[in-house]
Amino acid sequence: MPPRRGPAVRLGLHHQPACVLALAVLGDDVAPDLLATGRRTAEALALHLSAVHPRAATAYLGDLTYAVLPGSTVETATRVADAFLSRVGSRVPAVIGIGRLAADPSDLPRSRAEGDRALRVLTATGTPHRAAALKDIYLPSLLLGLADQVHIDAHPSDCPVTRPRAYDAEHHSALTETLARFLRGPRPRTGFPGLRGLRGRRGQWSSAYCWRASAAAPGGGCCRRTRRGRSPRCAVC
């Protein structure tokens, strides 16, 4: 009996590197036409990739579409994904995550895992990008993983993670909201006075220090006057 050949051998992918692309169509999971849209998008992606490389393989699994694009770098795969999304336009709200370059078929599962991680960033963070490789959005991916761990772990009631939330609930303040807005927003060129004050008061922050603690004093709070005038107001003051 001849030896059994693996899928990569049958597809002719065992002699060249390849990247895994993961595509998701955004929308309500219970929408009746989401499944049909996903299948049509998978067929369109397969047609698009076949014009790029004749041995490209595409599969529709659940509500995601996976594609193996051989003979290309991560940058090339990202450009191909951008071209496809530009072609379908806004009528299909789809995003594509790209995994690392797999040197041989044994690395394809890891490339797929990275494509899934990049896809999660694109679907969960509201980033303007519609296609991205994990290496380009690695930090947001790490933060999502950290958020998962925070929800999984049973934190003590008096730890740096839960203390600001507990303080907000007790004093009707918005420390957590202010920090979240700063982290989500663009980084200012000249710095953020509130952040500099926060960095200079790490000890007070660990003790549930509130920026409003000095609001009773003239110029107190995080919106105090600086040499360049009044700093932007935050969600606290």
Side-chain angles (χ1 to χ4, degrees):
M1 177 180 294
R4 184 177 179 180
R5 300 190 304 168
V9 176
R10 293 195 298 270
L11 293 173
L13 301 176
H14 58 295
H15 288 311
Q16 51 189 326
C19 289
V20 176
L21 284 66
L23 179 146
V25 177
L26 306 180
D28 190 355
D29 293 339
V30 298
D33 59 342
L34 182 63
L35 183 62
T37 302
R39 291 189 178 278
R40 290 194 300 268
T41 307
E43 295 173 356
L45 179 62
L47 183 63
H48 181 80
L49 295 182
S50 64
V52 177
H53 197 287
R55 294 192 180 278
T58 308
Y60 185 66
L61 303 176
D63 55 351
L64 299 179
T65 300
Y66 292 98
V68 179
L69 183 61
S72 63
T73 63
V74 174
E75 290 74 16
T76 301
T78 304
R79 288 195 296 268
V80 171
D82 282 328
F84 171 75
L85 294 174
S86 299
R87 188 172 183 177
V88 299
S90 59
R91 66 180 183 273
V92 179
V95 291
I96 299 178
I98 299 100
R100 67 170 59 195
L101 184 67
D104 54 70
S106 63
D107 290 335
L108 287 176
R110 188 170 185 179
S111 180
R112 173 182 172 178
E114 290 194 358
D116 287 334
R117 290 178 60 185
L119 192 63
R120 187 189 176 197
V121 174
L122 296 174
T123 57
T125 61
T127 175
H129 302 290
R130 297 183 64 188
L134 179 63
K135 67 182 186 66
D136 297 325
I137 50 176
Y138 188 64
L139 181 57
S141 177
L142 288 179
L143 293 177
L144 285 176
L146 180 61
D148 292 340
Q149 195 63 38
V150 168
H151 288 295
I152 293 174
D153 290 344
H155 291 287
S157 59
D158 190 30
C159 75
V161 175
T162 58
R163 193 180 299 128
R165 294 181 179 178
Y167 189 90
D168 287 342
E170 180 181 354
H171 297 84
H172 305 287
S173 56
L175 292 176
T176 308
E177 180 185 355
T178 299
L179 182 60
R181 287 184 180 182
F182 176 79
L183 294 176
R184 288 195 300 262
R187 180 176 298 176
R189 295 181 180 178
T190 59
F192 188 76
L195 181 63
R196 288 198 296 268
L198 176 63
R199 288 173 176 170
R201 296 177 174 86
R202 289 180 179 176
Q204 292 92 331
W205 171 266
S206 300
S207 303
Y209 174 80
C210 179
W211 288 332
R212 270 187 164 180
S214 58
C222 66
C223 298
R224 61 189 180 278
R225 291 186 179 276
T226 63
R227 294 179 180 179
R228 298 183 179 181
R230 183 171 294 275
S231 59
R233 297 187 65 83
C234 71
V236 179
C237 299

